[in-house]
Amino acid sequence: MTTPALLPLSGRRIPTLSPGASSFPHHRATLRLSEKFILLLILSAFITLCFGAFFFLPDNSKHKLSCRSASSTVSSSDSEESLRDKIRADHERALQEAKEKLRKSKEELKAEIQTEKTKVVEDLKKKDGPKPLPPVPMPKLVGVNDGDPGDPDTKEKRDKIREMMKHAWDSYRQYGWGHNELKPIAKKGHSTNIFGSSQMGATIVDALDTLYIMGLHDEFKDGQEWIEQNLDFSVNAEVSVFEVNIRFIGGLLAAYYLSGQEVFKVKAVQLAEKLLPAFNTPTGIPWAMVNLKSGVGRNWGWASAGSSILAEFGTLHMEFVHLTYLTGNPAYYQKVMHIRKLLAKMDRPNGLYPNYLNPRTGRWGQHHTSVGGLGDSFYEYLLKAWLMSDKTDTEARKTYDDAIEAIERHLIRKSNGGLTFIGEWKNGHLERKMGHLTCFAGGMFALGADGSPDDKAGHYLQLGAEIAHTCHESYDRTVLKLGPEAFKFDSGLEAVAVRQNEKYYILRPEVIETYWYMWRFTHDPKYRQWGWEAVQAIDKYCRVSGGFSGVKDVYSSNPTYDDVQQSFFLAETLKYLYLLFSSDELLPLENWVFNTEAHPLMAGVWFCITMNQHLK
């Protein structure tokens, strides 16, 4: 008997017998395999037909194909005929639709395409839209309107300030609506690089709470409608994180708390989400600028060694804590607390905080310390974090007290003429120059007097009064009775600007801010007198037919205009003046804490309790 040969069949090897051997068993096996092979071929062909139909036939939900067993499908000729009829009908219908499309004009086709695109976008928004914000308790509002000062003379002055606000707003409404700011001489819109290239209506958002406080409710409603219909943060614009936070998020949150209108809260949260990518740095110190669309961040080219700025990354705490409260998202609170913890670990030359910090390396840049530009609101927010927490954030208060002690030791001096000023520390040297921005510190010292260590409340209230006096002198020693951008205390000159590029006034609020705080804590009538002097000077020298403009030289009797109505003029300068001539019942400091753009945010025990619940 020969050895069985191996023959391939369907990928398998089976034995075959020699001619002398019985072939029956082999014949039976071969017959069974042939039958199976034929059935397998039929089944494979039908499966191929089914899948071909899925891929190449028109999709119609009324007659989806289903692959049944081969035997039942092959035996059902009626079913096959019905299937062919349906396929034929689908083809005819598709051809008819194509013919109808070809008969339409180009404009009709474009309109149909746009309609379909819009529908797809709306469907995506519904599917992927923002989650609804959690309900949070709103405290009872205290002192959000009226504030009648009582005596007619003070009321008349307050009414004048209200009229100035209306002139500024109406001019912007007429000539710059939707733009970030206004050019009141040219009577057209204006913007700067802090807002990117987009039209985000900065003046509208910044002015809302002032309008509400002054009872200008029709104007407030106009602003609200613009925000509802036009304020969009999905734009390809590189903006300042700091400026957008204090003006937009601060303004929207204040408008929400004052009016209760949900749209302001929703917009604030939408914008805050756009700012979060700025924190994606090796240290968690945010970039100065971020692109709202791409999320790419960078720092100002002029900043020391690519650094972030102390006053910018240090002026986020108030708004971000409120964002965590309103959203239940701890990320905002965690971002700003991380900054505080990082700074607490760093060495500080002479206890002072330099203005520059590199977000890549976590190292200080140039050793320049200022309570004015580049540094100012960092110290303000330490104090206000404590106040906003109903004085429970003792870590913030301790950090503030330590910083102020170092500032008083190294930066605060008296001039030969007896004026107290705050200089700037540059690489081991005190520059005897004070900026207009620094003048806010008088109000800060007064606000932080209560709670000072070692019973120094009286000392800091007195220090606030001395700074207020110095800053008033900087106004009083000019021709226009408006303060310069910066002023020196050396070479026999005191509280006077020397350089031409420091003689301008751009409608800044800091001196008036200090007047208001000092009035609230002392009720000394000189602060209202000084405030009224500023009102008269602004109305006389800065008012034009198209709004209010800054001036280039406060020492010139014929000043030229800079042709910009800053958004902070409506948000801060006019608001602080109005509050100065109102009763203390309007926005009492026990219930409200003002951010650095003068936007009032709620404070109190209710806030601490709910924050603790969010952060557990």
Side-chain angles (χ1 to χ4, degrees):
M1 188 165 118
T2 56
T3 306
L6 296 178
L7 299 175
L9 178 64
S10 299
R12 294 181 62 189
R13 294 180 180 223
I14 59 171
T16 58
L17 301 176
S18 64
S22 171
S23 61
F24 184 73
H26 173 66
H27 176 74
R28 287 179 63 190
T30 304
L31 181 63
R32 285 196 297 273
L33 286 169
S34 299
E35 291 170 347
K36 290 179 180 177
F37 182 61
I38 292 166
L39 290 172
L40 181 61
L41 286 175
I42 294 170
L43 181 60
S44 299
F46 184 71
I47 290 171
T48 303
L49 176 65
C50 290
F51 277 94
F54 271 113
F55 284 102
F56 298 107
L57 293 181
D59 183 24
N60 192 310
S61 59
K62 292 181 180 178
H63 47 261
K64 291 182 181 176
L65 297 177
S66 60
C67 292
R68 300 174 186 169
S69 66
S71 58
S72 63
T73 305
V74 171
S75 63
S76 178
S77 59
D78 292 340
S79 177
E80 288 180 2
E81 185 64 31
S82 174
L83 178 60
R84 282 195 293 271
D85 290 342
K86 289 176 180 177
I87 292 170
R88 196 176 296 113
D90 270 353
H91 285 171
E92 291 293 332
R93 190 160 40 249
L95 287 170
Q96 186 61 32
E97 288 177 1
K99 288 177 183 177
E100 290 175 2
K101 293 283 185 188
L102 290 172
R103 291 192 194 104
K104 293 184 178 182
S105 68
K106 187 177 180 181
E107 289 70 23
E108 288 175 319
L109 289 172
K110 281 184 176 179
E112 282 192 10
I113 292 169
Q114 187 58 47
T115 300
E116 288 299 319
K117 283 183 177 180
T118 303
K119 185 176 182 301
V120 169
V121 170
E122 289 176 353
D123 290 343
L124 287 173
K125 282 182 179 178
K126 289 176 183 177
K127 182 179 179 182
D128 303 322
K131 296 179 182 178
L133 297 174
V136 293
M138 278 289 287
K140 183 180 178 181
L141 296 180
V142 179
V144 297
N145 49 41
D146 195 19
D148 190 332
D151 69 284
D153 179 62
T154 305
K155 189 176 186 304
E156 184 179 348
K157 290 174 179 175
R158 192 176 78 146
D159 288 343
K160 172 59 181 176
I161 297 160
R162 187 174 184 268
E163 183 276 327
M164 291 168 67
M165 176 67 183
K166 191 162 182 1
H167 176 61
W169 174 265
D170 288 347
S171 298
Y172 169 79
R173 182 75 174 83
Q174 183 174 357
Y175 304 118
W177 193 241
H179 289 267
N180 289 317
E181 292 173 318
L182 171 68
K183 293 179 78 67
I185 307 294
K187 296 183 178 178
K188 63 181 183 179
H190 171 73
S191 191
T192 61
N193 62 344
I194 61 174
F195 304 119
S197 58
S198 61
Q199 294 185 22
M200 295 170 60
T203 294
I204 299 174
V205 179
D206 228 2
L208 276 175
D209 54 358
T210 306
L211 294 170
Y212 192 91
I213 292 163
M214 291 185 177
L216 296 170
H217 295 301
D218 289 341
E219 290 80 359
F220 179 88
K221 186 178 179 182
D222 286 345
Q224 179 178 338
E225 288 177 357
W226 186 90
I227 287 171
E228 290 174 335
Q229 297 168 12
N230 300 286
L231 187 55
D232 179 20
F233 302 118
S234 300
V235 290
N236 185 19
E238 190 179 51
V239 301
S240 163
V241 174
F242 162 73
E243 295 287 359
V244 166
N245 175 63
I246 65 172
R247 300 194 200 204
F248 281 83
I249 294 181
L252 290 166
L253 290 177
Y256 168 66
Y257 285 128
L258 291 169
S259 71
Q261 296 297 314
E262 196 78 6
V263 61
F264 301 128
K265 177 173 71 171
V266 171
K267 292 289 185 181
V269 173
Q270 288 175 355
L271 176 55
E273 289 173 352
K274 297 284 187 179
L275 297 186
L276 285 178
F279 292 82
N280 295 335
T281 65
T283 60
I285 297 293
W287 299 113
M289 292 175 286
V290 68
N291 187 295
L292 293 177
K293 188 171 186 178
S294 68
V296 175
R298 70 180 178 94
N299 276 338
W300 303 109
W302 49 262
S304 170
S307 291
S308 298
I309 309 300
L310 181 69
E312 295 191 342
F313 65 76
T315 310
L316 302 166
H317 186 98
M318 288 181 66
E319 297 82 2
F320 273 47
V321 169
H322 275 271
L323 287 167
T324 285
Y325 167 65
L326 293 172
T327 64
N329 181 1
Y332 301 106
Y333 175 82
Q334 290 166 354
K335 298 287 187 192
V336 292
M337 289 305 294
H338 174 78
I339 293 172
R340 187 196 291 182
K341 288 180 170 59
L342 187 147
L343 292 177
K345 296 176 182 177
M346 297 185 65
D347 292 331
R348 294 181 294 281
N350 294 321
L352 298 170
Y353 289 87
N355 291 335
Y356 300 104
L357 179 61
N358 190 299
R360 296 185 186 276
T361 65
R363 295 175 182 170
W364 297 118
Q366 177 187 1
H367 284 188
H368 172 210
T369 298
S370 169
V371 184
L374 307 181
D376 47 12
S377 47
F378 165 72
Y379 307 100
E380 174 188 357
Y381 268 40
L382 289 174
L383 172 63
K384 290 180 176 178
W386 175 69
L387 292 168
M388 197 174 68
S389 72
D390 199 40
K391 303 181 180 180
T392 61
D393 188 353
T394 54
E395 179 184 77
R397 177 75 212 209
K398 176 70 163 57
T399 307
Y400 168 79
D401 289 333
D402 291 347
I404 296 306
E405 183 181 346
I407 286 168
E408 191 168 8
R409 184 183 308 117
H410 297 286
L411 305 185
I412 297 180
R413 297 288 185 271
K414 268 197 188 298
S415 70
N416 293 334
L419 296 178
T420 301
F421 67 95
I422 308 175
E424 297 186 9
W425 191 266
K426 289 188 176 180
N427 295 316
H429 170 71
L430 181 68
E431 187 175 7
R432 298 171 67 86
K433 181 177 79 172
M434 185 170 174
H436 192 291
L437 289 166
T438 317
C439 286
F440 93 98
M444 178 179 70
F445 293 145
L447 184 63
D450 184 24
S452 298
D454 305 321
D455 297 323
K456 282 188 172 182
H459 167 73
Y460 284 113
L461 192 61
Q462 177 60 30
L463 182 58
E466 291 175 11
I467 297 298
H469 173 65
T470 298
C471 292
H472 174 257
E473 286 298 308
S474 77
Y475 274 51
D476 202 44
R477 297 181 186 192
T478 70
V479 173
L480 305 186
K481 304 302 178 185
L482 292 170
E485 182 68 6
F487 41 95
K488 290 198 170 184
F489 296 87
D490 58 12
S491 304
L493 295 174
E494 297 195 357
V496 174
V498 177
R499 297 178 182 175
Q500 188 61 40
N501 64 359
E502 294 175 341
K503 294 181 179 181
Y504 61 86
Y505 172 70
I506 57 171
L507 307 172
R508 287 203 187 276
E510 288 76 21
V511 174
I512 295 161
E513 176 183 356
T514 280
Y515 293 168
W516 174 60
Y517 278 113
M518 293 307 304
W519 165 258
R520 279 284 177 104
F521 289 110
T522 69
H523 290 117
D524 187 327
K526 72 182 177 186
Y527 297 114
R528 278 185 168 170
Q529 177 191 332
W530 293 350
W532 185 244
E533 290 172 7
V535 170
Q536 291 175 305
I538 291 169
D539 199 53
K540 182 175 181 180
Y541 296 109
C542 300
R543 185 178 186 132
V544 295
S545 62
F548 289 86
S549 170
V551 292
K552 294 182 178 179
D553 188 346
V554 293
Y555 299 96
S556 170
S557 56
N558 296 302
T560 54
Y561 297 110
D562 66 9
D563 198 16
V564 179
Q565 181 176 280
Q566 306 278 349
S567 80
F568 57 66
F569 177 64
L570 293 82
E572 300 184 74
T573 309
L574 292 174
K575 182 186 288 141
Y576 283 132
L577 284 169
Y578 188 80
L579 291 171
L580 179 60
F581 291 94
S582 298
S583 71
D584 293 0
E585 282 67 43
L586 182 58
L587 299 175
L589 293 173
E590 294 77 16
N591 304 94
W592 299 90
V593 182
F594 289 72
N595 88 335
T596 198
E597 190 77 359
H599 295 308
L601 302 178
M602 296 293 293
V605 174
W606 64 272
F607 189 77
C608 303
I609 293 171
T610 50
M611 275 300 302
N612 289 336
Q613 291 171 349
H614 280 305
L615 299 173
K616 281 180 181 177

